[in-house]
Amino acid sequence: MLDANIKQQLKAYMEKLQQPIELVAAYDDSDKSQELRELLEEIEPMSEKISLRTEESNDVRRPSFSINRVGSDMGVRFAGIPMGHEFTSLVLALLQVGGHPSKASQDVIEQIQQLDGDFEFETYFSLSCQNCPDVVQALNLMSVLNPGVRHTAIDGALFQDEVEKREIMSVPSVYLNGERGARDV
Amino acid sequence: MTLEEIVSRLDTKSDEKEAEKINQKDAFEVLVIGGGPAGAAAAIYAARKGISTGIAAERFGGQVVDTMGIENLISVPYTEGPKLVTAMEQHVKEYDVDIMNMQMAEKLIPATKRGMPHEIRLANGASLKARTVVLSTGARWRPLGVPGEVEYRNKGVAYCPHCDGPLFKGKHVAVIGGGNSGVEAAIDLANIVGHVTLIEFGAEMRADDVLQKKLRSLNNVDIITSGQTTEVVGESGRVSGLKYTDRNTGENHHVTLEGVFVQIGLVPNTEWLKGDIELSQQGEIIINDRNETSIPGVFAAGDVTTVPYKQIVISMGEGSKAALSAFDFLIRNSVDESESENEAA
């Protein structure tokens, strides 16, 4: 999945992990699941702090995977394969779950930590969308910083049934607690 | 949406807090409204003169955020919109510039006397003051203005082909507009969707020859010229078709399709300035070659102005010019004089 150059860069990033993280994957029989398996199996050996296991729960999309700090539930999940424009989102999620500080301002970080309530976000993106990563990365960071925030980033092209059912025709489309949020146009 | 935007939507009290903070700010010497390439350039040029500079923007980067490949920013052979925005933001942050993100300007209240501060009212109720202002609020996609467009926006009516194209895999879509952006969109979409119908209002497409040739070589693209789109039709909450009139024969046609990509140019973001500043018929801020507007001490730059050719590199140049003109204005309208007048009043 990853070429030698990218692998090397990613490995260098993974040295910055401060805390052990685990990738918890949910596969099915599809080709895309196989691709995801390959990707995650390439990432796992990049640091001793990364472990990989599979998920048995039926409540999750397949293929998908969550990124967790070991011993906690951060609620950061990708449904699909975060390559293309979302590759940066994957790298940042790995780092931030692993305790690497984000570049967000202290004001915003505190504001996020003080948010009160349960926020379950779902974002539909496409791999060719330029402004999707901003949204995906913002919501992932919020999930890392506040236990009340959870986020699944979904590749709309891969979950076409859902996209049809929810009548999603533009990305990024953000859902909060199952309700469609306003899109930034 | 940026992190700050999302957080501020969830944090209901943030608006008040933010407004309070803004109201307490001193008057700027240069205040830039709009954070695209023109605004960023203006802020950097102003800050380099050592004068107090602020930039208020709805979203930093502006239209560049939604731009895919950029191959004509001289000395940068290839970059992408979001990457350029990050670089612009970092560059601005090299200087002492007060960046106020997510602020929408609502009204410009010009100074009553030359050299006195202007006031900018923001949507959150706060006000900013500045001795000179650079307006660089940019432009946005021009809407078709036909029935159904607003109703089915994001339900089949789209403005960003490379963002939303993949959601129309295998389907039939239309592209409205035969300029460069429309034809590029049609070529791009033809790879993803089942069928593309391009509708051009004029008798001929206006796109560059190479693009037109490429488009004609694709077998899943229909081209309709002299076609006036009259309605976007929908069914159960989503686009199901489009109506157009053949301008040669006057005949009405209906095309069954799932998506409509509108690519008919730009409209300047100047609604908030109407009546306060001189605008062209197209709604652009009229400027001269020094970026001066009809109001002394108020300058404008980039896509929001009458400058011909809306390009990133041009906006950057225009923003720089506007900041230099603002600086020139400041040194010619000395602070002491206006302040003593202020005291007298």
Side-chain angles (χ1 to χ4, degrees):
Chain A
M1 288 293 292
L2 302 172
D3 68 38
N5 194 10
I6 300 270
K7 251 189 198 169
Q8 208 177 357
Q9 283 178 24
L10 187 56
K11 193 165 187 301
Y13 278 122
M14 291 306 106
E15 279 162 16
K16 295 181 178 165
L17 292 177
Q18 293 169 7
Q19 309 205 32
I21 63 171
E22 59 175 3
L23 309 173
V24 187
Y27 305 121
D28 58 11
D29 298 331
S30 66
D31 290 349
K32 285 289 169 190
S33 274
Q34 191 51 40
E35 275 181 42
L36 179 63
R37 188 190 294 269
E38 280 171 34
L39 174 67
L40 297 181
E41 285 176 357
E42 283 176 23
I43 294 174
E44 193 220 333
M46 287 184 181
S47 161
E48 283 174 4
K49 292 204 169 69
I50 306 176
S51 58
L52 172 62
R53 65 181 171 91
T54 54
E55 168 122 57
E56 304 312 325
S57 163
N58 288 325
D59 299 340
V60 295
R61 293 176 179 85
R62 287 167 194 269
S64 76
F65 66 103
S66 64
I67 306 174
N68 262 320
R69 197 170 292 169
V70 172
S72 67
D73 181 10
M74 299 229 130
V76 176
R77 177 178 293 277
F78 285 97
I81 304 167
M83 299 298 285
H85 284 297
E86 291 304 332
F87 187 68
T88 315
S89 306
L90 170 62
V91 178
L92 283 174
L94 291 166
L95 284 172
Q96 288 166 356
V97 171
H100 189 72
S102 92
K103 283 188 183 155
S105 74
Q106 199 53 42
D107 278 0
V108 177
I109 290 175
E110 277 167 23
Q111 210 181 353
I112 293 168
Q113 285 165 337
Q114 285 161 11
L115 284 178
D116 191 19
D118 288 316
F119 304 98
E120 175 94 41
F121 286 101
E122 294 162 293
T123 306
Y124 291 85
F125 64 82
S126 71
L127 293 178
S128 50
C129 162
Q130 303 286 311
N131 48 0
C132 291
D134 272 355
V135 177
V136 170
Q137 289 162 23
L139 292 170
N140 281 345
L141 175 63
M142 289 168 65
S143 306
V144 171
L145 292 173
N146 185 325
V149 181
R150 306 176 64 79
H151 177 225
T152 304
I154 305 148
D155 180 357
L158 220 63
F159 291 88
Q160 213 148 12
D161 289 353
E162 259 178 67
V163 164
E164 302 254 328
K165 214 169 97 195
R166 285 185 143 168
E167 298 189 336
I168 294 164
M169 294 190 175
S170 66
V171 286
S173 273
V174 181
Y175 282 71
L176 171 56
N177 298 332
E179 298 280 326
R180 184 159 199 167
R183 187 204 182 198
D184 178 50
V185 184
Chain B
M1 263 184 296
T2 63
L3 180 62
E4 284 87 354
E5 284 168 346
I6 296 169
V7 176
S8 80
R9 279 189 202 183
L10 297 179
D11 185 353
T12 43
K13 280 190 226 115
S14 71
D15 240 23
E16 280 170 43
K17 285 186 252 171
E18 195 64 35
E20 211 173 292
K21 250 199 254 173
I22 285 175
N23 275 331
Q24 283 165 5
K25 288 181 197 282
D26 292 334
F28 291 97
E29 283 178 287
V30 177
L31 175 63
V32 181
I33 308 292
I44 289 170
Y45 265 74
R48 284 174 62 84
K49 291 287 185 190
I51 51 185
S52 75
T53 305
I55 179 166
E58 201 180 346
R59 72 169 176 167
F60 197 89
Q63 293 170 83
V64 179
V65 179
D66 304 324
T67 308
M68 191 142 88
I70 297 163
E71 298 175 342
N72 52 8
L73 181 57
I74 311 313
S75 85
V76 183
Y78 182 83
T79 187
E80 287 173 356
K83 231 168 134 179
L84 179 59
V85 171
T86 310
M88 277 185 345
E89 194 167 2
Q90 276 165 359
H91 196 172
V92 173
K93 284 181 176 164
E94 290 282 311
Y95 298 95
D96 189 14
V97 174
D98 188 346
I99 303 179
M100 292 158 279
N101 229 329
M102 281 187 304
Q103 298 304 333
M104 202 166 132
E106 248 180 17
K107 186 148 182 70
L108 165 70
I109 302 164
T112 45
K113 257 202 177 112
R114 196 182 176 91
M116 299 275 281
H118 307 279
E119 186 184 339
I120 300 277
R121 278 209 195 129
L122 303 175
N124 66 2
S127 273
L128 287 164
K129 289 197 170 64
R131 291 177 21 86
T132 64
V133 177
V134 175
L135 302 169
S136 55
T137 45
R140 59 179 189 276
W141 296 116
R142 180 181 294 281
L144 269 173
V146 300
E149 182 185 23
V150 173
E151 197 181 343
Y152 296 109
R153 185 172 204 170
N154 294 336
K155 291 170 182 158
V157 176
Y159 300 83
C160 182
H162 63 263
C163 304
D164 301 338
L167 299 170
F168 294 84
K169 205 160 118 188
K171 297 189 168 159
H172 185 170
V173 305
V175 172
I176 315 295
N180 278 339
S181 59
V183 172
E184 276 173 20
I187 294 168
D188 190 11
L189 286 166
N191 283 320
I192 306 165
V193 305
H195 190 93
V196 179
T197 303
L198 183 135
I199 301 179
E200 160 63 34
F201 184 82
E204 276 172 42
M205 292 190 286
R206 290 153 294 123
D208 296 343
D209 244 9
V210 278
L211 293 173
Q212 293 200 29
K213 262 186 206 145
K214 169 78 187 164
L215 185 70
R216 290 206 173 88
S217 75
L218 302 170
N219 55 20
N220 61 341
V221 176
D222 286 336
I223 300 165
I224 294 165
T225 52
S226 300
Q228 179 174 12
T229 308
T230 54
E231 188 181 347
V232 177
V233 194
E235 214 172 89
S236 52
R238 58 204 292 179
V239 169
S240 64
L242 176 144
K243 285 185 187 164
Y244 73 92
T245 305
D246 183 327
R247 295 172 59 232
N248 292 327
T249 63
E251 268 175 58
N252 296 319
H253 298 269
H254 177 272
V255 192
T256 303
L257 44 72
E258 282 95 5
V260 178
F261 287 84
V262 182
Q263 301 285 304
I264 51 170
L266 298 170
V267 42
N269 296 318
T270 52
E271 286 81 357
W272 65 287
L273 292 166
K274 261 182 201 144
D276 295 320
I277 204 165
E278 215 173 303
L279 302 177
S280 72
Q281 260 186 336
Q282 286 75 38
E284 297 162 334
I285 302 171
I286 297 173
I287 54 165
N288 63 12
D289 55 3
R290 302 177 73 91
N291 297 79
E292 290 165 330
T293 68
S294 59
I295 304 172
V298 176
F299 304 83
D303 284 6
V304 74
T305 71
T306 46
V307 72
Y309 310 118
K310 309 314 198 222
Q311 297 288 312
I312 293 171
V313 70
I314 289 177
S315 287
M316 288 180 169
E318 288 290 302
S320 313
K321 268 170 62 194
L324 293 173
S325 289
F327 181 68
D328 194 54
F329 178 91
L330 285 169
I331 55 175
R332 280 161 204 275
N333 292 274
S334 84
V335 186
D336 296 330
E337 197 184 328
S338 63
E339 274 186 351
S340 57
E341 279 174 29
N342 198 9
E343 275 163 23

